[in-house]
Amino acid sequence: MFWLPKTPNTVMKRTTPMSSPSAPLVAASASHRGSRGRLSLKVSLAVAGCLLVLAAALMVLTGVFSARGYRQLEERESVEVLERLNAALERQRTGQLKSTRDYATWTDTYLHMTGELDGYAADNLSDEALQNLRVGGALLFHNNGELRTGRLTDVFVGNTGYELGDLTVELRPALPRLRADGGRSGFLRLSRGPLLLVSAAPVLHNDGSGPPAGLMVHVTPVGDAYVRELSEVLHNRLSLMPVGAELPSDGTRLRDERVLHHALVDVHDVPVAWLVVRLPREIVALGRGLLHLQWLGLGLMVLAAGVFIAATLRAVLLRRLEVMSREVRAVATEHDLARRVSSSGGDEIAAVADGINEMLAELQEADRRRREALANEAALTTRLLQAQKTEALGTMAGGMAHDFNNMLSVILSTASLMRAGQNVDPAQAAHLERIEKAATHGADIVRRLATFGRAEQPVRTARRLSRVVADALELMRPGLPANVRLGFENRCLEDEVLLEVTQINQLVVNLVANAAQAIGGREGLINVIVEPARLPDPAWPDSGSALPSGAYARLLVIDTGPGIAPELRPRIFDPFFTTKDVGVGTGLGLAMVKSIATSHEGAVEVNSRPGETIFAVHFPLRPGRAAQPVGAASSSAGRRILVVEDDPPVRECLQLMLTAMGHEVRVAEDGRKGLAVFEEHRQALDLVISDQRMPNLLGSQMARAIQDLSAGFPVILVSAFAGNLSDEDIRAGGIRHLLPKPFTKE
């Protein structure tokens, strides 16, 4: 009912007779009251009709959305069951693998495999010991695949029908796969049908040193007992079906149950069996009963709404004022300036609410500016501290690089000399090759430290961009999350570029790490492509406008992350700009990418859309054929060479290498003595090979003095810090080659 104000016509007293002149006014008053009653009835009927229509619509919508919700709950339950099943399988697999690795690194196992301990099987592979490990058997293999020791429990033999010899024959082809990655575990289907859970680990000394002495293998039959144990853990009915068996479709809804499948894959990543889960459809049955209760409750709510509709209409004004009062108090008590007062209605109350909201907006803006100023001050302080720490670390790294390079030069030179000697058997040659590879890898790390510490300026050489990128990807591939797949494709036949390998490695690492962080915890793909390009290119307008026209090698890094918001793209290459949480990133990764690309006369550009982001880096191709790498020396023998080196081990190794190559070698231990030897034996020398950083006199200073004595005399400068030399130093010193440490005979 609507509330109508009373007027004088509605409150006249009936003090005059009906036949008086005021009778028409009384009649009019009565007629007006009757019209008000009819209007109230009409409003009530209209409200009741609307409520009935609303109730019917809500019942239909409730039924539709409830059914959908129960289906979603059923789907969620299915996902949770499969997740629990996968987790249970993973626990069993990793638990067995851990036991295998523990046994494989046990001292008795190692001594047994090396022939230093007898009686190992009787003491450690008894039925009781294997049952305590919850495995059906244990086998020890030599590195050549021959069985050293093994034992199977009676239960295993009875359940599978396999004796030790038969099982050994079937396990042998899988040993290389099981040995990979330091040991692994997985399922294996035997030729006569039984399914096994197999785990293997290399037998190592308990401190992890030395080569593997063999391979420890544990086997567990996967049969009815295994499935019953899983069923008890999951509280669901499971069954094991072979691959190829006719199964209901995954997720099939039967009347009383739902069927789910989970594949068991073997060590070769091939499905060998299905675990079938049958879930009772209790949620749907329960949902039907709840839906009926919902309809009943909805009907009661509609009835209650009809009873109180008149009181609600009468109280609407007071309620608005109460709501406004509560909202204003909430702003004060919660100190939340983002809250706003409801201002609907377009009347005086709404105008008051709008005024309050304007005041709150002004206060919120002032508070935002204050907080932003405080945050900027804290960020600047943090960056200053970070810069100071980086500078200190760089100074320390530069000092360490020099000493490490000298040691690595001795290691590489000695290994090269030993490998070039006579009577080197293949095993020794393999050991020497591993030493050289490890030392070369260490030299690359030292070069990075030297560049980081600004002790060495990068030296560019002609390299194939695709090869450098591929090497960088192989180094970082093991460190990527398991949910991220990394692909590489080379589309170039000629992609030789003048580049500094360490910086290009850093560029590739930063781009791939940025892509992996963008993908986050979901499944994703990072695809790296090297392809030919010609600028200008409409697809990359910024690079075309920043670089000269011509042929380029283009490096693409494509990820399937969420994409970069358009408003953020202009700032992603700014130093210290990051959208990551505090402590996750420094905001320098993409800034370094841009700096490295620019220093190589290239450019970096990004295209992004939801679900895909592409970073493109253009490098100018080196015209003509690839030049011989800087530092490649002539291989002709019979030269008379003066070696000047202050580090005794490096000096001795360099003398031995040159002598082994057929040269006549004189040595000096610093720059002043080297200059004195040159002055004394000038006519008996063909070449000077000198270190750069030496006491008393630098190598470049000695080279200048040599040119003053004998213009044009060839000098080769050997140093890990040769990149600090200017072009003027190289020309004035007659320096023919810059040979970076460490070096080898080749």
Side-chain angles (χ1 to χ4, degrees), residues 119-383:
Y120 174 85
D123 295 337
N124 303 290
L125 300 183
S126 64
D127 278 5
E128 181 180 357
L130 296 178
Q131 289 172 3
N132 289 336
L133 289 175
R134 300 174 63 86
V135 298
L139 301 91
L140 282 167
F141 289 90
H142 290 292
N143 288 328
N144 61 3
E146 294 298 322
L147 181 66
R148 174 70 170 88
T149 304
R151 182 178 178 84
L152 303 177
T153 64
D154 296 336
V155 175
F156 179 94
V157 175
N159 290 339
T160 64
Y162 273 77
E163 297 290 342
L164 183 61
D166 298 334
L167 182 60
T168 301
V169 172
E170 298 213 19
L171 283 178
R172 190 169 288 123
L175 294 182
R177 183 71 172 175
L178 292 169
R179 186 181 290 111
D181 302 326
R184 62 191 307 171
S185 65
F187 295 95
L188 184 67
R189 174 72 73 180
L190 301 180
S191 60
R192 297 206 296 265
L195 182 64
L196 304 180
L197 175 60
V198 183
S199 58
V203 177
L204 299 171
H205 195 272
N206 59 5
D207 61 0
S209 63
L215 188 69
M216 166 68 78
V217 178
H218 283 158
V219 294
T220 301
V222 179
D224 294 340
Y226 186 92
V227 174
R228 282 196 304 272
E229 184 177 352
L230 281 178
S231 299
E232 293 173 359
V233 171
L234 297 176
H235 303 291
N236 291 106
R237 188 158 55 97
L238 302 179
S239 58
L240 186 66
M241 302 293 289
V243 170
E246 184 176 353
L247 300 172
S249 299
D250 192 25
T252 300
R253 294 183 177 90
L254 304 177
R255 177 175 178 81
D256 297 321
E257 63 183 10
R258 187 176 186 190
V259 181
L260 304 174
H261 305 154
H262 181 81
L264 299 181
V265 296
D266 64 7
V267 294
H268 302 287
D269 298 328
V270 176
V272 293
W274 293 99
L275 275 176
V276 180
V277 186
R278 299 183 180 274
L279 300 177
R281 302 190 67 191
E282 299 173 349
I283 293 179
V284 174
L286 179 62
R288 295 192 186 100
L290 291 177
L291 181 60
H292 295 157
L293 293 177
Q294 288 177 350
W295 285 346
L296 178 60
L298 182 61
L300 294 175
M301 291 174 61
V302 170
L303 179 61
V307 172
F308 292 102
I309 188 65
T312 302
L313 289 175
R314 290 181 182 276
V316 66
L317 182 61
L318 180 60
R319 178 169 297 177
R320 288 178 61 192
L321 292 174
E322 290 174 347
V323 169
M324 183 184 298
S325 176
R326 286 198 302 270
E327 290 175 340
V328 171
R329 285 197 302 270
V331 173
T333 56
E334 299 177 11
H335 304 286
D336 184 6
L337 296 177
R339 295 178 67 101
R340 292 294 180 267
V341 177
S342 302
S343 61
S344 61
D347 51 14
E348 291 78 6
I349 296 177
V352 173
D354 289 338
I356 295 174
N357 288 336
E358 291 176 2
M359 179 184 67
L360 290 174
E362 293 176 359
L363 291 174
Q364 183 182 11
E365 177 63 19
D367 184 71
R368 184 192 64 79
R369 290 194 295 266
R370 181 183 64 83
R371 292 176 183 272
E372 187 176 42
L374 292 175
N376 289 338
E377 181 181 357
L380 289 174
T381 302
T382 301
R383 291 174 186 174

Side-chain angles (χ1 to χ4, degrees), residues 429-462:
H431 294 325
L432 292 172
E433 183 178 358
R434 281 194 292 271
I435 292 173
E436 290 180 332
K437 287 183 178 179
T440 302
H441 181 62
D444 183 63
I445 295 174
V446 170
R447 277 193 292 271
R448 297 185 189 182
L449 285 172
T451 302
F452 177 78
R454 304 193 181 275
E456 176 184 60
Q457 298 299 322
V459 178
R460 296 189 201 167
T461 56

Side-chain angles (χ1 to χ4, degrees), residues 355-586:
I356 295 174
N357 288 336
E358 291 176 2
M359 179 184 67
L360 290 174
E362 293 176 359
L363 291 174
Q364 183 182 11
E365 177 63 19
D367 184 71
R368 184 192 64 79
R369 290 194 295 266
R370 181 183 64 83
R371 292 176 183 272
E372 187 176 42
L374 292 175
N376 289 338
E377 181 181 357
L380 289 174
T381 302
T382 301
R383 291 174 186 174
L384 177 61
L385 293 175
Q386 183 66 29
Q388 291 172 343
K389 289 190 291 184
T390 302
E391 181 181 2
L393 182 60
T395 302
M396 181 181 66
M400 293 170 57
H402 178 265
D403 295 334
F404 272 102
N405 270 317
N406 282 339
M407 291 186 287
L408 290 172
S409 295
V410 174
I411 294 172
L412 276 172
S413 302
T414 304
S416 179
L417 286 171
M418 293 177 66
R419 193 154 57 92
Q422 298 179 354
N423 301 325
V424 178
D425 60 39
Q428 292 175 336
H431 294 325
L432 292 172
E433 183 178 358
R434 281 194 292 271
I435 292 173
E436 290 180 332
K437 287 183 178 179
T440 302
H441 181 62
D444 183 63
I445 295 174
V446 170
R447 277 193 292 271
R448 297 185 189 182
L449 285 172
T451 302
F452 177 78
R454 304 193 181 275
E456 176 184 60
Q457 298 299 322
V459 178
R460 296 189 201 167
T461 56
R463 298 289 184 92
R464 289 202 62 182
L465 178 63
S466 58
R467 185 170 300 171
V468 176
V469 171
D471 291 342
L473 294 177
E474 287 302 316
L475 286 174
M476 72 175 307
R477 189 184 299 273
L480 289 175
N483 61 293
V484 177
R485 293 179 290 118
L486 179 62
F488 174 68
E489 180 180 1
N490 177 29
R491 301 174 180 173
C492 286
L493 295 177
E494 295 293 335
D495 58 345
E496 190 170 73
V497 175
L498 281 175
L499 54 82
E500 204 285 316
V501 175
T502 302
Q503 289 191 346
I504 299 302
N505 286 344
Q506 186 67 56
L507 180 143
V508 173
V509 168
N510 286 3
L511 287 176
V512 174
N514 181 74
Q517 291 173 354
I519 292 173
R522 53 186 173 274
E523 294 289 329
L525 170 66
I526 302 174
N527 199 17
V528 180
I529 301 173
V530 177
E531 63 179 14
R534 180 165 290 277
L535 295 179
D537 187 344
W540 305 100
D542 293 345
S543 298
S545 61
L547 300 175
S549 301
Y552 290 79
R554 179 186 294 144
L555 170 64
L556 298 175
V557 178
I558 308 169
D559 68 74
T560 58
I564 304 173
E567 64 271 18
L568 297 180
R569 292 177 198 168
R571 300 186 59 195
I572 60 174
F573 296 107
D574 293 347
F576 301 107
F577 175 77
T578 179
T579 59
K580 304 178 181 68
D581 295 334
V582 175
V584 177
T586 63

Side-chain angles (χ1 to χ4, degrees), residues 82-101:
L82 289 179
E83 288 177 350
R84 294 203 314 271
L85 174 59
N86 190 59
L89 291 171
E90 185 65 15
R91 284 195 300 271
Q92 291 185 344
R93 186 187 68 80
T94 55
Q96 181 169 315
L97 180 58
K98 182 179 183 302
S99 298
T100 305
R101 285 175 172 164

